[in-house]
Amino acid sequence: MYKRQLQRGSVTAATAGMVIGETVGPALAGVAWLGDRTRAGLTPLAIAGFLLAILGALALARFGEAPTEPAAAPSEEPRTTT
């Protein structure tokens, strides 16, 4: 999917999707199958960090593209009258 996105879209959108996949997938696997838990009292901090990682990746996808400059118009030669 990453390769297809690079061919069709922008690098930053593809990278943001990859970051989200690398964040969500292992987190879900750890919690669901490996029994990962946060330390007592740190669950809100863990959730905030997880959400910040996701929001950062989404911001990268939305605002990470470098602005493209419009092509400069060809310059006209000054007219001279003789």
Side-chain angles (χ1 to χ4, degrees), residues 2-63:
Y2 183 66
K3 181 178 124 181
R4 274 190 243 138
Q5 180 62 27
L6 285 174
Q7 290 173 345
R8 292 184 193 167
S10 69
V11 173
T12 52
T15 303
M18 184 181 69
V19 168
I20 290 173
E22 288 176 345
T23 303
V24 174
L28 290 176
V31 170
W33 293 300
L34 302 175
D36 287 351
R37 301 286 179 254
T38 60
R39 290 183 184 171
L42 293 180
T43 300
L45 184 62
I47 291 171
F50 183 77
L51 291 176
L52 282 173
I54 299 299
L55 290 173
L58 292 174
L60 173 67
R62 175 74 173 101
F63 302 109

